[in-house]
Amino acid sequence: MASGLGETCAIFFLTLIFAIPLGMVVALMRRSRFKVLSLISGFFISVLRGTPLMLQLLAVTYGPYYIFGVSVSRNKLIPVVIAFSINYAAYFAEIYRSGIESIPIGQYEASQVLGYTKLQTFMKIILPQVIRRILPSMTNEIVTLVKDTSMAFTVSYVEIFTLAKQIANSQTSFMPFIVAGVFYYVFNFIVSFVMRRVEKAMNYYTL
Amino acid sequence: MSVLSMTGIRKAFGDHTVLKDISLHVDKREVVSIIGPSGSGKSTLLRCAAFLETIDSGEIAYMDRPAVRTVNGKAVYEKDLKPFRRDFGLVFQNFNLFPHYSVMKNVTDAPLRVQKRDKQEVRAEAEKLLEKMGLSDKADAYPCELSGGQQQRVSIVRALMMNPEILFFDEPTSALDPELTGEVLKVIKQLADEKMTMVIVTHEMAFAHSISDRVIFMDCGVIVEQGTPRELFEGTRKERTRQFLQNYNQAMGVREQDSAPEA
Amino acid sequence: MKKTVSILLAVLLLIGAVAALAACGSKTDDVTTTAAEAESKDASPASAGVVFTMGIDPEYPPFSYLGDDGEYTGFDVEVCQAVCQKLGWEFKVFAVNWDEKLIQLDSNECDCVWSGMTILDSMKEAGYVISEPYFDNEQVLLVKDDSEINTSADLAGKTVAVQLGTSGEALLGDDLADLAATFGDLVTCDSFVKCFTELAGNAVEAVFVDKPVAESYVEENEGFRIIDEDLGAEQYGIAFRAGDAELCAQVEAAVKELCEDGTYAAIAEKYPTITANLIYLH
């Protein structure tokens, strides 16, 4: 089952790498003055949050074949990471949005009066405070992501849960599921621990 | 030369007109206080001057350079307002310090990042100003560790660090506990004594009386009356001004009576 | 103060209600298990009120699948229905998760697994009661019409799909492990539809699958062909829990009766792709 462990980690880290910035793009689009951008982003978020992740995995993996007739990807890591990234980007976007909206308007006004550009204001003044505020909700989502990686089995991507299923099946034993369960728990224990350390490190000020 | 000149300013929020044809000219080294009941438009006037609100029509100029003109009855802003922002500083009612920056970083970040000044020089200046405001031991503290009065003094230092021609105060003591207003007023008084050009929107009548060269009384979006503190507070001939001051004194009287037994 | 008291009361009531419900739940559970035990020990299950739940793979045409009318149907389902009618049992269907079918059988979610199930030695070793085989099956390869693959030897270096939990998967891990070792990659899908989509979408070159499933797929979809090479003969049977030998005997006897009165053949006629391999018809 050790090889499945690597695959699960690959889904987890690649999804975070893509979804964290993508979510910010979606969140900023959502807040855009341009109605079209904000509507597109709103629609994107509502569809991805309103349909099961399993369905999105199937859609991303097999959808292009059924719609455009293009080949199904042989390397399942690609559709799996795409599906997870856009799904999690939608959830992250909502977290970012609530975080950005919770920053008092006075922070923007003070920055403007001091002559900061819009970009400087966002990167140096707003974003650090947003990160601080959203960390607990992000921890929640990231813990969920660890568990959600098991859904990759629906498109035959061999991560730890798929392997557990296969081994359980050939040995007619429940043991592999228990091993998988312990793995997810330990993984999440580490994630929570790291996130708590990060939160603590940012706790040098109160908002 | 007038540092700030606002002419024929009109501003409405939807159907509600807040500023009705207001003009305000501030000369170098002049200290102007604006008083008036809440909702009179005095804070809005200041926020318009600081470009935090856009005016509907009128003209705004800093150091005789026009920033806003009116063309066909509509206000037209200069494309680049950056050079004008350099001319003023604003101290907010709620301080609006950056909570994730230390005091030192709060007051030095904009001079370094925006004005791109020399690091050593900026730091030295910040240390000097903090010391002047009695905050030299707080340079490494975060805003959340400071009292309201200390935070407001830091925000004054932050505004001063940009070396503005004119400093705006938007009700600088309204968010403070009564026992903390004194330390902030003292600092502003000190700036007035150094002949800093300032416009102060305030509810502190005695303070306005003592530091201002000129006091403006606003009500319902118009300037009702303006003059020296003596003219306005002691010799007003306008009924509305008299009434406002009377109400204010009564309220203060009640407050003083209330607290008298404790004192 | 009053408010606090009423909130406390409400909370207590809620806890009480939940506890009561839980207690009731476990009680009814007990009743059903004892009933089931009694039933399997009692040799006269023809008594009224017996519920017989068949466990099926809902995606395994033509043996068991979801019909156009939204009800489960298929050859196995229809036979089981007829058996229940004969014995006066109430007929129920439970869709199992195929790769966990035996665990679900053990946990009483169904009374048998009857769904084109390949009889494996490992099942017998684990103590399950298995009926007489009723169907001869072969594993075949499904490929695209224009494929260059003609025998299993051509699979060297190719990607092959197989369904998780099927006999095909078991074979490739056991008797056919040497063949599997020549594959470029083996993709395990959790349903046949996905295996076939992988093939249609060029993600795999062949699907290793039960013959009747491949035949009904080829009949309905253009552009595929079957490579009929004796890759592994196997037989289908019905699985019961250990200790349910009596139940198994009853079902088998009823099936025999159905064969004699012609019902069995009548059902088989509806599924032409499998009739040739039905043991009871020959």
Side-chain angles (χ1 to χ4, degrees):
Chain A
M1 284 173 82
S3 66
L5 207 143
E7 305 295 346
T8 296
C9 291
I11 302 175
F12 175 78
F13 287 111
L14 288 173
T15 300
L16 283 188
I17 288 169
F18 292 117
I20 285 173
L22 183 62
M24 188 51 80
V25 172
V26 175
L28 292 178
M29 270 172 71
R30 186 93 185 88
R31 286 176 55 83
S32 164
R33 272 171 296 158
F34 301 104
K35 201 85 196 184
V36 187
L37 282 183
S38 137
L39 281 175
I40 290 174
S41 151
F43 181 70
F44 176 84
I45 294 171
S46 80
V47 168
L48 289 166
R49 299 210 314 167
T51 57
L53 175 56
M54 197 178 282
L55 206 66
Q56 293 164 23
L57 272 163
L58 288 175
V60 172
T61 312
Y62 300 118
Y65 163 70
Y66 281 116
I67 299 167
F68 308 111
V70 296
S71 294
V72 173
S73 171
R74 275 167 190 261
N75 183 355
K76 290 293 189 300
L77 184 60
I78 297 166
V80 165
V81 168
I82 291 175
F84 272 100
S85 297
I86 59 175
N87 179 273
Y88 271 83
Y91 281 94
F92 288 166
E94 283 298 280
I95 294 177
Y96 296 157
R97 189 173 66 95
S98 68
I100 293 171
E101 278 169 6
S102 72
I103 303 297
I105 184 110
Q107 294 289 307
Y108 292 93
E109 291 183 347
S111 312
Q112 189 188 322
V113 169
L114 289 170
Y116 289 100
T117 63
K118 282 228 162 78
L119 185 69
Q120 284 170 335
T121 304
F122 184 74
M123 298 304 287
K124 298 294 172 185
I125 308 298
I126 305 302
L127 193 57
Q129 297 183 54
V130 169
I131 291 172
R132 163 75 199 277
R133 272 172 202 250
I134 64 173
L135 266 179
S137 336
M138 287 298 278
T139 307
N140 269 344
E141 278 310 312
I142 292 170
V143 164
T144 308
L145 171 61
V146 172
K147 294 178 284 178
D148 274 358
T149 54
S150 65
M151 247 181 282
F153 85 88
T154 46
V155 294
S156 321
Y157 185 68
V158 187
E159 40 67 67
I160 196 154
F161 193 70
T162 313
L163 269 177
K165 268 184 127 169
Q166 289 174 6
I167 297 170
N169 187 43
S170 66
Q171 299 181 347
T172 351
S173 146
F174 214 78
M175 202 53 206
F177 289 117
I178 294 168
V179 174
V182 170
F183 163 75
Y184 285 115
Y185 180 75
V186 170
F187 198 154
N188 267 330
F189 188 84
I190 297 167
V191 167
S192 307
F193 176 79
V194 170
M195 292 302 280
R196 258 202 313 277
R197 291 301 285 270
V198 176
E199 271 174 48
K200 239 191 190 150
M202 298 195 77
N203 250 347
Y204 60 85
Y205 68 93
T206 45
L207 292 164
Chain B
M1 180 173 72
S2 48
V3 179
L4 167 68
S5 91
M6 302 175 85
T7 317
I9 306 294
R10 288 172 192 278
K11 167 78 186 168
F13 291 116
D15 290 338
H16 178 64
T17 309
V18 208
L19 299 177
K20 301 165 184 164
D21 193 14
I22 296 231
S23 294
L24 169 67
H25 301 272
V26 183
D27 289 329
K28 206 158 173 65
R29 306 188 194 294
E30 196 182 11
V31 176
V32 178
S33 291
I34 306 178
I35 60 170
S38 350
S40 59
K42 52 195 195 306
S43 273
T44 308
L45 180 66
L46 207 60
R47 290 170 58 80
C48 285
F51 307 131
L52 290 176
E53 306 283 355
T54 50
I55 59 171
D56 298 331
S57 69
E59 276 156 28
I60 301 174
Y62 281 97
M63 315 297 290
D64 294 334
R65 289 170 296 134
V68 189
R69 275 178 259 253
T70 289
V71 181
N72 298 332
K74 286 213 121 192
V76 180
Y77 280 73
E78 279 293 311
K79 274 225 171 61
D80 185 13
L81 289 172
K82 227 176 169 180
F84 302 100
R85 291 217 166 93
R86 226 172 275 156
D87 293 334
F88 64 83
L90 172 60
V91 174
F92 295 87
Q93 182 179 340
N94 298 315
F95 335 133
N96 292 334
L97 291 174
F98 304 132
H100 57 305
Y101 284 172
S102 68
V103 166
M104 182 52 85
K105 181 128 184 172
N106 257 288
V107 303
T108 55
D109 194 62
L112 294 173
R113 206 184 293 283
V114 177
Q115 297 182 336
K116 308 226 177 335
R117 285 165 56 194
D118 176 67
K119 200 168 172 181
Q120 237 92 47
E121 174 203 318
V122 168
R123 221 189 137 84
E125 191 182 333
E127 272 163 7
K128 215 167 75 191
L129 272 171
L130 286 175
E131 195 191 336
K132 191 167 130 192
M133 302 281 174
L135 293 164
S136 35
D137 56 333
K138 299 292 182 194
D140 297 323
Y142 284 87
C144 59
E145 300 164 318
L146 304 180
S147 72
Q150 289 168 329
Q151 289 192 50
Q152 193 59 297
R153 280 181 283 154
V154 172
S155 89
I156 293 171
V157 174
R158 182 172 70 173
L160 285 173
M161 284 295 292
M162 304 298 283
N163 294 320
E165 298 289 338
I166 181 169
L167 201 49
F168 300 138
F169 291 86
D170 186 7
E171 304 193 19
T173 57
S174 295
L176 298 177
D177 291 337
E179 69 269 22
L180 297 177
T181 57
E183 55 187 271
V184 173
L185 295 179
K186 204 179 101 194
V187 164
I188 301 174
K189 177 87 170 65
Q190 201 177 339
L191 292 174
D193 292 342
E194 290 164 15
K195 288 292 162 203
M196 177 83 205
T197 315
M198 296 191 284
V199 179
I200 305 159
V201 168
T202 184
H203 288 295
E204 303 280 341
M205 297 305 150
F207 174 68
H209 193 312
S210 73
I211 72 157
S212 311
D213 298 314
R214 178 155 56 111
V215 178
I216 295 175
F217 172 60
M218 270 181 78
D219 190 18
C220 297
V222 296
I223 292 179
V224 176
E225 190 176 0
Q226 55 180 307
T228 62
R230 181 176 289 248
E231 282 167 358
L232 202 99
F233 286 114
E234 287 146 35
T236 178
R237 274 157 294 167
K238 299 268 173 148
E239 183 52 34
R240 257 148 96 191
T241 318
R242 209 197 314 275
Q243 206 162 20
F244 171 73
L245 292 173
Q246 213 167 15
N247 286 345
Y248 175 81
N249 287 332
Q250 258 170 20
M252 288 306 286
V254 168
R255 223 167 76 185
E256 268 155 28
Q257 266 171 19
D258 271 358
S259 54
E262 286 170 46
Chain C
M1 190 58 201
K2 231 177 183 174
K3 214 171 169 187
T4 335
V5 170
S6 54
I7 289 173
L8 261 172
L9 260 174
V11 169
L12 278 175
L13 268 174
L14 205 70
I15 293 171
V18 170
L21 270 176
C24 287
S26 56
K27 229 173 258 166
T28 34
D29 271 0
D30 289 345
V31 171
T32 29
T33 24
T34 33
E37 275 163 25
E39 192 186 289
S40 51
K41 278 172 201 152
D42 197 353
S44 61
S47 55
V50 175
V51 179
F52 184 74
T53 308
M54 81 181 297
I56 62 158
D57 176 352
E59 293 178 47
Y60 199 69
F63 291 92
S64 51
Y65 57 96
L66 196 63
D68 294 335
D69 56 357
E71 299 283 333
Y72 291 119
T73 185
F75 177 74
D76 282 347
V77 176
E78 287 199 47
V79 171
C80 183
Q81 217 161 2
V83 165
C84 286
Q85 214 166 17
K86 194 135 231 143
L87 295 172
W89 294 346
E90 193 187 327
F91 168 75
K92 271 199 175 160
V93 176
F94 176 76
V96 300
N97 196 345
W98 195 245
D99 52 327
E100 282 155 21
K101 54 186 180 288
L102 294 178
I103 296 169
Q104 288 177 304
L105 176 64
D106 278 337
S107 55
N108 289 323
E109 287 187 277
C110 50
D111 298 311
C112 70
V113 179
W114 186 348
S115 184
M117 187 198 72
T118 305
I119 301 170
L120 297 176
D121 289 341
S122 64
M123 291 176 184
K124 292 181 183 162
E125 281 160 21
Y128 294 98
V129 175
I130 310 290
S131 72
E132 288 295 310
Y134 64 92
F135 185 87
D136 282 318
N137 184 37
E138 280 177 58
Q139 293 292 322
V140 295
L141 288 165
L142 185 75
V143 296
K144 282 195 153 182
D145 259 345
D146 54 5
S147 170
E148 56 195 28
I149 298 169
N150 290 310
T151 70
S152 57
D154 296 336
L155 291 174
K158 298 285 196 287
T159 308
V160 179
V162 68
Q163 189 194 349
L164 187 63
T166 59
S167 53
E169 193 211 357
L171 271 173
L172 289 174
D174 193 13
D175 289 354
L176 296 178
D178 290 345
L179 175 66
T182 67
F183 297 168
D185 195 10
L186 181 64
V187 177
T188 321
C189 305
D190 64 349
S191 83
F192 277 126
V193 189
K194 285 177 194 162
C195 289
F196 295 142
T197 307
E198 296 273 334
L199 178 65
N202 296 319
V204 302
E205 274 91 16
V207 180
F208 194 64
V209 61
D210 293 351
K211 191 171 180 181
V213 180
E215 277 176 341
S216 64
Y217 187 78
V218 167
E219 207 159 273
E220 278 164 31
N221 299 276
E222 298 236 322
F224 301 94
R225 63 189 164 85
I226 292 169
I227 296 171
D228 200 347
E229 184 184 324
D230 191 6
L231 285 170
E234 52 176 25
Q235 293 181 312
Y236 289 173
I238 311 162
F240 298 86
R241 277 183 290 275
D244 272 355
E246 306 264 6
L247 187 63
C248 174
Q250 279 171 358
V251 170
E252 284 187 317
V255 171
K256 288 257 157 62
E257 279 181 51
L258 290 174
C259 290
E260 278 155 24
D261 67 14
T263 316
Y264 195 84
I267 295 171
E269 250 174 52
K270 295 193 221 167
Y271 303 96
T273 53
I274 61 168
T275 43
N277 294 31
L278 283 169
I279 295 169
Y280 291 144
L281 292 183
H282 303 286

